[in-house]
Amino acid sequence: GFNENLNNPEIYDESMEIQFSSIIKAFHPDIIHVFGTEFPHTLAVAKTFNNPGRILIGLQGIISLCAENYYADLPNKIIHYSTFRDLIKKDNIEKQKEKFDLRGKHEIEALKLVRNITGRTEFDKQAAASINPDANYYSMNETMRSPFYSDKWELAYCRKHRIFFSQADYPLKGLHYLLQALPKILLHYPDTEVVVAGKSIVKSRTLKDRIKIGGYGKYLRSYINEWELGLRIEFLGKLSAEEMKEQYLLCHTYVCASSL
């Protein structure tokens, strides 16, 4: 195994190179397959294993492009605004983007050091080619967890006018786009409801909630209050694979509003 600070993935720790050098020396791998470019261990492996033709990096998200699109059309005053939580953690939207920028640089450096990349979409393929045109690209759809291979969505059994949003933790996911559209949707479908997987980033019922809320959550909260959308939106908390599947089956519409 190896040690990595997952709480600060923007920090590149050179000591990981020593760890991987020891692992590689002991194990003598023929091929190393790295899943994702989100964390700095990918770069550490690419720098340590001196055989770029025998490293395979699988793309899960293009961090450098996430960084470029992180602000997601938010107003400047929101980008630079800090709540109490943001000041303490030095983690407002502007700082979050800076961290993604650093992670993106590590990603680009790692992808340039290898000769084999896998992905699932044309988007992945084009992104990989723009970073390392000399690398071999392989299409590889990954197996999902078993619950997603049973049952089938049917209009007759879904909840009419129920919108499912699968993640909204940070601006890139684009929940604010849906909130901006929701008043217009409600004019035509007044019984519309929006359910969001994951923890509520807009919760402000208690003093603790108000202390912990971040700038993006506060922006969403203000929009919800302005348009009186509170009764139309529910955050479901962390869901299992089976629970996620049930939400897909229940909803009338699934929305992916990512700015990317």
Side-chain angles (χ1 to χ4, degrees):
F2 62 94
N3 296 312
E4 183 172 29
N5 180 4
L6 299 179
N7 292 321
N8 300 102
E10 73 279 3
I11 297 174
Y12 184 76
D13 183 358
E14 292 185 353
S15 70
M16 280 195 295
E17 295 177 27
I18 299 172
Q19 295 179 65
F20 282 120
S21 180
S22 177
I23 293 169
I24 291 167
K25 186 176 180 179
F27 188 68
H28 299 294
D30 297 307
I31 293 172
I32 296 179
H33 185 185
V34 187
F35 289 82
T37 56
E38 292 89 340
F39 295 97
H41 65 253
T42 304
L43 176 57
V45 171
K47 291 174 72 173
T48 306
F49 191 50
N50 192 26
N51 194 336
R54 290 188 173 269
I55 298 181
L56 176 68
I57 292 181
L59 297 177
Q60 297 178 158
I62 315 296
I63 297 299
S64 51
L65 294 181
C66 287
E68 287 181 20
N69 294 273
Y70 193 87
Y71 287 156
D73 300 315
L74 291 174
N76 280 329
K77 65 178 182 179
I78 302 301
I79 291 169
H80 303 294
Y81 176 78
S82 294
T83 63
F84 179 79
R85 173 259 179 210
D86 295 340
L87 289 171
I88 296 298
K89 291 181 171 286
K90 298 179 180 178
D91 190 49
N92 67 358
I93 294 172
E94 184 178 21
K95 292 295 184 183
Q96 290 168 19
K97 184 187 183 302
E98 289 176 3
K99 294 173 185 178
F100 264 76
D101 286 332
L102 289 172
R103 295 170 71 184
K105 289 179 181 177
H106 299 153
E107 169 190 69
I108 290 171
E109 186 178 352
L111 289 175
K112 286 182 175 180
L113 288 172
V114 304
R115 292 289 175 268
N116 302 288
I117 300 170
T118 65
R120 292 159 292 171
T121 66
E122 189 64 28
F123 173 77
D124 290 343
K125 185 177 182 180
Q126 291 178 9
S130 69
I131 294 170
N132 186 350
D134 297 325
N136 301 309
Y137 179 87
Y138 303 96
S139 180
M140 184 176 69
N141 284 318
E142 296 174 359
T143 304
M144 296 185 292
R145 280 169 280 185
S146 57
F148 297 105
Y149 291 97
S150 62
D151 300 313
K152 184 178 180 180
W153 182 89
E154 292 185 51
L155 179 61
Y157 297 106
C158 76
R159 293 186 186 175
K160 297 296 174 61
H161 309 152
R162 179 183 176 95
I163 297 173
F164 180 46
F165 203 92
S166 60
Q167 188 182 350
D169 284 357
Y170 54 107
L172 185 76
K173 298 300 180 182
L175 180 58
H176 54 287
Y177 294 127
L178 178 57
L179 293 185
Q180 289 162 11
L182 193 52
K184 296 178 182 178
I185 294 170
L186 287 167
L187 289 175
H188 297 278
Y189 307 99
D191 59 340
T192 295
E193 58 177 340
V194 176
V195 291
V196 184
K199 65 180 180 180
S200 174
I201 62 171
V202 303
K203 190 165 61 171
S204 61
R205 293 177 183 172
T206 66
L207 177 61
K208 185 177 180 181
D209 291 338
R210 292 191 286 275
I211 289 174
K212 291 175 65 176
I213 196 168
Y216 183 57
K218 193 165 185 178
Y219 172 65
L220 296 178
R221 179 86 253 165
S222 66
Y223 209 93
I224 290 169
N225 290 338
E226 178 184 354
W227 290 93
E228 299 180 347
L229 302 174
L231 296 177
R232 301 294 178 183
I233 300 173
E234 180 185 2
F235 285 82
L236 302 174
K238 186 176 180 179
L239 302 179
S240 66
E242 184 67 42
E243 291 168 332
M244 283 292 289
K245 183 193 76 172
E246 289 303 315
Q247 291 303 322
Y248 285 120
L249 294 173
L250 277 175
C251 72
H252 195 165
T253 302
Y254 166 70
V255 172
C256 177
S258 169
S259 65
L260 195 56

